[in-house]
Amino acid sequence: MIAMAPTPVHLPVMPDEAMHYLAPRAGGVYIDCTTGLGGHSKRIAQAIGPEGRLLCIDQDGEALEFARANLNPFGRRIKFARGNFSELAAIAATNGFDSADGILMDLGVSSLQFDSAPRGFSFSHEGPLDMRMSREAGVLTAGEIVNQWEESEIADVLWKYGEIGQSRRVAAAIVRARPLRTTTDLAQVSEQALGSARKHQKIHPATQVFLALRIRVNGELDSLDSVLPQARGLLSLGPSGGGRLVAISFHSLEDRVVKQYIRREATGCICPPELPVCRCGHIATLRDLTRRAIRPGFAEVAANPRARSAVLRAAERVA
Ligand SMILES: C[S@@+](CC[C@H](N)C(=O)[O-])C[C@H]1O[C@@H](n2cnc3c(N)ncnc32)[C@H](O)[C@@H]1O
């Protein structure tokens, strides 16, 4: 008998809250920018019914294949597109989505990616230092950064994306330990460099090192910066209310980008306060639906510990 590989599972984070703010309606048009295994998409597909349309985007071809299988029962109401959401406007246009009643972003990596040793995202599974969400996307891997970049460049990455106070110490340890081949090599070096300084902390010393490298490898903050205005541009402006943007972030840097973008676009004049009259001419194009960040409840975090750092923000397009 042939042993079947188990189907990967990813529990969608804050599914009820995401649907509450996205408010998908029958016959509506929606875009899931981060389809993963299709958990949130399934909820959207159910809500929009056979007349609705959903565009499911992911840059990870493997994830998209699982999503296709999981969402197969919804047939023609769903289109799939592999690509980086930093190209959202072009991907939407290519697939015939001129505007959307709702756009969802559930950022970061899925369990499929995180738990797969060959993808190299986690120090809990020994694998190559890869960390690319899209294996087609360019050549940069975590291995290239730790083995080929200058010590000061590595320190910058750790400082900027991991907010690691001892970034220089870790960068120096990485350079001394070259070549680093596996996630275990990097976890050990991180632990040696940071272990004593972080003994009082609950998280593993390598956590922030891995996070920083992953963010840099995938250009995560740049993609987020670039997708937000494109998403706003696609949101519909209907008589019964504008289209909605829902973003779920998993670390403070990501959440800051989303929060600042929504605040800015939900504000009229953005001139410096010392100017007596408005010179910017900026007008609000969004309404902030979540002035205070929405976080998962205790029950969800108990059932799905990966939800613990999630923060949801939402906004609605206004004329
Ligand atoms: C947290 S998972 C989404 C899980 C999904 N909501 C579900 O319920 O199964 C994030 C997904 O977004 C994808 N992703 C992250 N950044 C992306 C980007 N810039 N462009 C396209 N996909 C991206 C990842 O490949 C991953 O599959």
Side-chain angles (χ1 to χ4, degrees), residues 282-294:
H282 189 261
I283 50 163
T285 53
L286 293 179
R287 183 165 72 90
D288 191 349
L289 299 175
T290 49
R291 294 198 138 262
R292 291 196 11 216
I294 308 297

PDB file of all heavy atoms in Angstrom, residues 282-294:
ATOM      1  N   HIS A 282      -5.140  66.987   0.851  1.00  0.00           N
ATOM      2  CA  HIS A 282      -5.416  65.554   1.044  1.00  0.00           C
ATOM      3  C   HIS A 282      -6.857  65.352   1.494  1.00  0.00           C
ATOM      4  O   HIS A 282      -7.360  66.098   2.331  1.00  0.00           O
ATOM      5  CB  HIS A 282      -4.458  65.006   2.122  1.00  0.00           C
ATOM      6  CG  HIS A 282      -4.491  63.523   2.255  1.00  0.00           C
ATOM      7  ND1 HIS A 282      -5.196  62.871   3.228  1.00  0.00           N
ATOM      8  CD2 HIS A 282      -3.879  62.561   1.516  1.00  0.00           C
ATOM      9  CE1 HIS A 282      -5.021  61.565   3.096  1.00  0.00           C
ATOM     10  NE2 HIS A 282      -4.228  61.349   2.060  1.00  0.00           N
ATOM     11  N   ILE A 283      -7.520  64.353   0.906  1.00  0.00           N
ATOM     12  CA  ILE A 283      -8.883  64.056   1.361  1.00  0.00           C
ATOM     13  C   ILE A 283      -8.943  62.606   1.839  1.00  0.00           C
ATOM     14  O   ILE A 283      -8.207  61.751   1.337  1.00  0.00           O
ATOM     15  CB  ILE A 283      -9.953  64.285   0.261  1.00  0.00           C
ATOM     16  CG1 ILE A 283      -9.528  63.587  -1.034  1.00  0.00           C
ATOM     17  CG2 ILE A 283     -10.233  65.744   0.030  1.00  0.00           C
ATOM     18  CD1 ILE A 283     -10.667  63.399  -2.004  1.00  0.00           C
ATOM     19  N   ALA A 284      -9.810  62.363   2.804  1.00  0.00           N
ATOM     20  CA  ALA A 284      -9.934  61.003   3.346  1.00  0.00           C
ATOM     21  C   ALA A 284     -10.588  60.103   2.301  1.00  0.00           C
ATOM     22  O   ALA A 284     -11.617  60.465   1.721  1.00  0.00           O
ATOM     23  CB  ALA A 284     -10.770  61.030   4.616  1.00  0.00           C
ATOM     24  N   THR A 285      -9.980  58.946   2.068  1.00  0.00           N
ATOM     25  CA  THR A 285     -10.577  57.993   1.135  1.00  0.00           C
ATOM     26  C   THR A 285     -10.952  56.693   1.840  1.00  0.00           C
ATOM     27  O   THR A 285     -11.492  55.787   1.216  1.00  0.00           O
ATOM     28  CB  THR A 285      -9.610  57.666  -0.016  1.00  0.00           C
ATOM     29  OG1 THR A 285      -8.371  57.256   0.551  1.00  0.00           O
ATOM     30  CG2 THR A 285      -9.400  58.854  -0.934  1.00  0.00           C
ATOM     31  N   LEU A 286     -10.602  56.601   3.124  1.00  0.00           N
ATOM     32  CA  LEU A 286     -10.954  55.410   3.904  1.00  0.00           C
ATOM     33  C   LEU A 286     -11.618  55.840   5.200  1.00  0.00           C
ATOM     34  O   LEU A 286     -11.376  56.943   5.701  1.00  0.00           O
ATOM     35  CB  LEU A 286      -9.697  54.596   4.254  1.00  0.00           C
ATOM     36  CG  LEU A 286      -8.929  53.918   3.122  1.00  0.00           C
ATOM     37  CD1 LEU A 286      -7.707  53.200   3.687  1.00  0.00           C
ATOM     38  CD2 LEU A 286      -9.810  52.924   2.358  1.00  0.00           C
ATOM     39  N   ARG A 287     -12.430  54.942   5.735  1.00  0.00           N
ATOM     40  CA  ARG A 287     -12.953  55.126   7.096  1.00  0.00           C
ATOM     41  C   ARG A 287     -12.370  53.994   7.935  1.00  0.00           C
ATOM     42  O   ARG A 287     -12.449  52.821   7.549  1.00  0.00           O
ATOM     43  CB  ARG A 287     -14.488  55.038   7.066  1.00  0.00           C
ATOM     44  CG  ARG A 287     -15.125  55.277   8.421  1.00  0.00           C
ATOM     45  CD  ARG A 287     -16.620  55.549   8.234  1.00  0.00           C
ATOM     46  NE  ARG A 287     -17.366  54.353   7.859  1.00  0.00           N
ATOM     47  CZ  ARG A 287     -17.919  53.515   8.739  1.00  0.00           C
ATOM     48  NH1 ARG A 287     -17.815  53.727  10.026  1.00  0.00           N
ATOM     49  NH2 ARG A 287     -18.583  52.446   8.315  1.00  0.00           N
ATOM     50  N   ASP A 288     -11.769  54.389   9.038  1.00  0.00           N
ATOM     51  CA  ASP A 288     -11.124  53.397   9.916  1.00  0.00           C
ATOM     52  C   ASP A 288     -12.219  52.651  10.686  1.00  0.00           C
ATOM     53  O   ASP A 288     -12.975  53.260  11.439  1.00  0.00           O
ATOM     54  CB  ASP A 288     -10.199  54.161  10.885  1.00  0.00           C
ATOM     55  CG  ASP A 288      -9.279  53.226  11.644  1.00  0.00           C
ATOM     56  OD1 ASP A 288      -9.497  52.006  11.582  1.00  0.00           O
ATOM     57  OD2 ASP A 288      -8.338  53.729  12.282  1.00  0.00           O
ATOM     58  N   LEU A 289     -12.303  51.333  10.477  1.00  0.00           N
ATOM     59  CA  LEU A 289     -13.356  50.560  11.152  1.00  0.00           C
ATOM     60  C   LEU A 289     -12.875  49.981  12.478  1.00  0.00           C
ATOM     61  O   LEU A 289     -13.669  49.445  13.252  1.00  0.00           O
ATOM     62  CB  LEU A 289     -13.828  49.411  10.247  1.00  0.00           C
ATOM     63  CG  LEU A 289     -14.427  49.801   8.901  1.00  0.00           C
ATOM     64  CD1 LEU A 289     -14.724  48.559   8.073  1.00  0.00           C
ATOM     65  CD2 LEU A 289     -15.707  50.606   9.093  1.00  0.00           C
ATOM     66  N   THR A 290     -11.568  50.032  12.702  1.00  0.00           N
ATOM     67  CA  THR A 290     -11.001  49.413  13.910  1.00  0.00           C
ATOM     68  C   THR A 290     -10.017  50.386  14.544  1.00  0.00           C
ATOM     69  O   THR A 290      -8.803  50.180  14.433  1.00  0.00           O
ATOM     70  CB  THR A 290     -10.261  48.108  13.543  1.00  0.00           C
ATOM     71  OG1 THR A 290      -9.379  48.391  12.442  1.00  0.00           O
ATOM     72  CG2 THR A 290     -11.185  46.998  13.168  1.00  0.00           C
ATOM     73  N   ARG A 291     -10.529  51.393  15.210  1.00  0.00           N
ATOM     74  CA  ARG A 291      -9.609  52.382  15.790  1.00  0.00           C
ATOM     75  C   ARG A 291      -8.686  51.699  16.780  1.00  0.00           C
ATOM     76  O   ARG A 291      -7.528  52.065  16.917  1.00  0.00           O
ATOM     77  CB  ARG A 291     -10.392  53.514  16.445  1.00  0.00           C
ATOM     78  CG  ARG A 291     -11.155  54.295  15.389  1.00  0.00           C
ATOM     79  CD  ARG A 291     -11.603  55.635  15.857  1.00  0.00           C
ATOM     80  NE  ARG A 291     -11.394  56.608  14.801  1.00  0.00           N
ATOM     81  CZ  ARG A 291     -10.347  57.397  14.747  1.00  0.00           C
ATOM     82  NH1 ARG A 291      -9.417  57.348  15.665  1.00  0.00           N
ATOM     83  NH2 ARG A 291     -10.210  58.256  13.757  1.00  0.00           N
ATOM     84  N   ARG A 292      -9.235  50.695  17.501  1.00  0.00           N
ATOM     85  CA  ARG A 292      -8.354  49.890  18.359  1.00  0.00           C
ATOM     86  C   ARG A 292      -8.183  48.529  17.703  1.00  0.00           C
ATOM     87  O   ARG A 292      -9.135  47.953  17.198  1.00  0.00           O
ATOM     88  CB  ARG A 292      -8.969  49.741  19.741  1.00  0.00           C
ATOM     89  CG  ARG A 292      -8.916  51.095  20.411  1.00  0.00           C
ATOM     90  CD  ARG A 292      -9.129  51.144  21.889  1.00  0.00           C
ATOM     91  NE  ARG A 292      -9.136  49.898  22.602  1.00  0.00           N
ATOM     92  CZ  ARG A 292      -9.934  49.688  23.635  1.00  0.00           C
ATOM     93  NH1 ARG A 292     -10.793  50.609  24.007  1.00  0.00           N
ATOM     94  NH2 ARG A 292      -9.870  48.565  24.302  1.00  0.00           N
ATOM     95  N   ALA A 293      -6.931  48.059  17.728  1.00  0.00           N
ATOM     96  CA  ALA A 293      -6.626  46.794  17.049  1.00  0.00           C
ATOM     97  C   ALA A 293      -7.498  45.665  17.600  1.00  0.00           C
ATOM     98  O   ALA A 293      -7.784  45.617  18.783  1.00  0.00           O
ATOM     99  CB  ALA A 293      -5.159  46.463  17.262  1.00  0.00           C
ATOM    100  N   ILE A 294      -7.906  44.770  16.707  1.00  0.00           N
ATOM    101  CA  ILE A 294      -8.707  43.611  17.113  1.00  0.00           C
ATOM    102  C   ILE A 294      -7.748  42.431  17.285  1.00  0.00           C
ATOM    103  O   ILE A 294      -6.914  42.156  16.407  1.00  0.00           O
ATOM    104  CB  ILE A 294      -9.750  43.259  16.021  1.00  0.00           C
ATOM    105  CG1 ILE A 294     -10.571  44.502  15.637  1.00  0.00           C
ATOM    106  CG2 ILE A 294     -10.640  42.113  16.457  1.00  0.00           C
ATOM    107  CD1 ILE A 294     -11.395  45.087  16.736  1.00  0.00           C
TER     108      ILE A 294
END
